[in-house]
Amino acid sequence: MIYISKFKKNIWPLNVPPLPDELFSSWMFRLANNYRISPESLVNEYSDEKLHIKINTIDIKPESNIIDIITKNTALKEKEIEKLFLNHYKSNITENNISDEVINSLHFLKVNDPKNKKNGIIFCPNCLSNGIPYFRRKWLLTSSIVCCECNSYLMDYCPNCFKHFSFWYSTKKSELVNNSITTCKCGYDISKFSFPLSPSQLEIDYQKYIDFTIDNGFNEHTQYSFTYLTTLMFTASMIKKIIKSPKYKKKIKKIYPDLIIDIEVPTNKWTLSDRQYLLPIAYYLLDNFPNRIKEVFPNKYNLKKEFGQLPYWFEKELIFR
């Protein structure tokens, strides 16, 4: 520990400031990695009781006991730490900003699929290869499918072993950690990978529009961005459903001739590749709302509980026609 007169307290040496849009777990890994120990070991060394850090939920909202340890031992203020968590998006992605709603807006593999023993994380290999590698909050949003900064597809698996990638895994307290945040358990550095395909213009336009909507909290359809995200997911799920009907399949084909959908799992089980395929199409149908939606959607439909109440600006166009 080093006493810093500016902060009037002892802090851990080797200061690691958070980077723009960095995830809390990413920052914790980089901080602990400076000392060649795991994040759990670093936190528990200064805790009165042993803390069990759950990677599936650690990035959702700040836990008071962990935040206390960090504010006491680093130069960071509580408000700076809070920005690293996903609930800092507040009502931009969910209506009530509670943990369950935030989780439903994220692509957490282990939360969505209990068969996955390890939690995977979404990443852009190009971003990880530029400057200091770290993981962004926005990559974990269900609506994120491409990186607009790099014009590159996001990934959720190691291109070497084809398993879900995770930089966070537990070690024995006595073990020294000597891994980069971009190193898979198979030894491959995911930042070295270059995706052979580039996103289409529709996919890029979709992601830019979504990023704008979330960053600003509104778009031309609605003054509440979370209602657009709900409508987007509902539209995507309806496309998957009605494409099985020859009648509606023919209607969709007129608008989107190359459409082929073979996704049988429910919405919360969609993989990143499923979302990369369906969400831009849903965005395209909503782009000149309500014209394309009216052409394609049936007059009667059943609203699944997972979507809650659809916004009035959307539902009125389907009902009164």
Side-chain angles (χ1 to χ4, degrees):
M1 300 287 283
I2 301 174
Y3 181 79
I4 306 296
S5 57
K6 177 182 177 181
F7 304 115
K8 298 180 180 180
K9 62 179 179 180
N10 292 314
I11 65 171
W12 294 326
L14 301 173
N15 181 42
V16 179
L19 296 168
D21 196 42
E22 185 166 17
L23 268 176
F24 176 74
S25 59
S26 171
W27 175 77
M28 276 293 296
F29 180 97
R30 294 195 303 112
L31 176 67
N33 201 47
N34 272 331
Y35 310 107
R36 295 294 181 259
I37 59 176
S38 69
E40 293 99 325
S41 297
L42 178 63
V43 169
N44 281 307
E45 190 68 34
Y46 294 87
S47 176
D48 295 331
E49 57 183 24
K50 187 174 181 180
L51 302 177
H52 296 283
I53 301 176
K54 297 180 180 180
I55 183 58
N56 287 328
T57 57
I58 189 175
D59 289 312
I60 302 294
K61 64 177 182 179
E63 296 292 341
S64 58
N65 45 9
I66 296 178
I67 299 305
D68 286 344
I69 293 172
I70 294 171
T71 53
K72 289 178 182 177
N73 296 285
T74 72
L76 292 180
K77 297 178 181 179
E78 187 171 341
K79 288 186 177 180
E80 294 176 296
I81 301 172
E82 289 174 352
K83 292 180 180 179
L84 304 175
F85 291 88
L86 291 152
N87 74 336
H88 196 260
Y89 280 112
K90 299 181 180 177
S91 60
N92 287 27
I93 62 170
T94 62
E95 182 174 7
N96 299 310
N97 199 35
I98 58 178
S99 295
D100 287 345
E101 285 190 0
V102 176
I103 287 174
N104 289 335
S105 300
L106 306 176
H107 187 66
F108 270 118
L109 296 172
K110 191 173 179 183
V111 169
N112 287 339
D113 189 351
K115 293 181 180 179
N116 283 325
K117 296 181 179 180
K118 291 292 183 181
N119 181 54
I121 194 167
I122 310 297
F123 61 91
C124 170
N126 287 350
C127 283
L128 293 175
S129 67
N130 295 322
I132 300 173
Y134 69 98
F135 289 78
R136 276 73 159 171
R137 290 185 311 148
K138 64 182 177 182
W139 292 345
L140 268 65
L141 298 179
T142 300
S143 54
S144 294
I145 61 171
V146 302
C147 173
C148 292
E149 285 81 359
C150 303
N151 283 346
S152 173
Y153 283 112
L154 296 179
M155 298 180 65
D156 62 352
Y157 64 91
C158 170
N160 182 61
C161 65
F162 299 102
K163 294 182 179 179
H164 296 310
F165 177 80
S166 178
F167 59 80
W168 188 292
Y169 48 89
S170 300
T171 60
K172 294 180 181 178
K173 188 175 181 180
S174 59
E175 288 183 355
L176 290 179
V177 176
N178 195 28
N179 283 337
S180 163
I181 198 169
T182 60
T183 302
C184 180
K185 292 196 76 172
C186 71
Y188 183 77
D189 186 345
I190 59 172
S191 67
K192 304 297 183 185
F193 182 74
S194 179
F195 210 92
L197 300 175
S198 297
S200 67
Q201 189 59 53
L202 175 63
E203 290 167 330
I204 293 172
D205 290 344
Y206 156 81
Q207 194 63 65
K208 287 182 177 179
Y209 187 77
I210 290 297
D211 291 348
F212 171 88
T213 299
I214 293 174
D215 289 342
N216 292 279
F218 67 90
N219 58 32
E220 72 266 29
H221 296 300
T222 175
Q223 57 182 329
Y224 302 108
S225 53
F226 69 86
T227 66
Y228 181 82
L229 298 178
T230 299
T231 302
L232 178 78
M233 293 302 296
F234 170 74
T235 303
S237 69
M238 284 295 290
I239 294 169
K240 180 180 77 75
K241 181 179 179 180
I242 65 179
I243 196 70
K244 297 177 182 179
S245 166
K247 175 182 176 181
Y248 294 108
K249 183 176 182 179
K250 187 176 181 180
K251 290 184 177 183
I252 293 179
K253 288 281 187 178
K254 289 181 180 179
I255 300 174
Y256 213 93
D258 301 323
L259 185 62
I260 300 175
I261 298 177
D262 186 21
I263 302 172
E264 298 299 331
V265 295
T267 311
N268 67 339
K269 301 286 186 182
W270 287 356
T271 64
L272 176 59
S273 59
D274 292 337
R275 293 183 290 114
Q276 285 171 334
Y277 189 68
L278 278 171
L279 294 185
I281 300 172
Y283 157 76
Y284 179 74
L285 292 180
L286 290 169
D287 187 37
N288 72 340
F289 184 81
N291 298 334
R292 293 186 186 125
I293 287 290
K294 285 185 174 182
E295 290 178 30
V296 172
F297 268 44
N299 290 327
K300 294 183 179 180
Y301 58 90
N302 294 320
L303 182 61
K304 295 181 179 179
K305 290 182 179 179
E306 63 183 297
F307 297 109
Q309 180 66 46
L310 288 175
Y312 180 71
W313 61 263
F314 178 80
E315 203 162 26
K316 72 174 182 179
E317 297 295 344
L318 299 184
I319 296 174
F320 303 111
R321 54 174 170 158

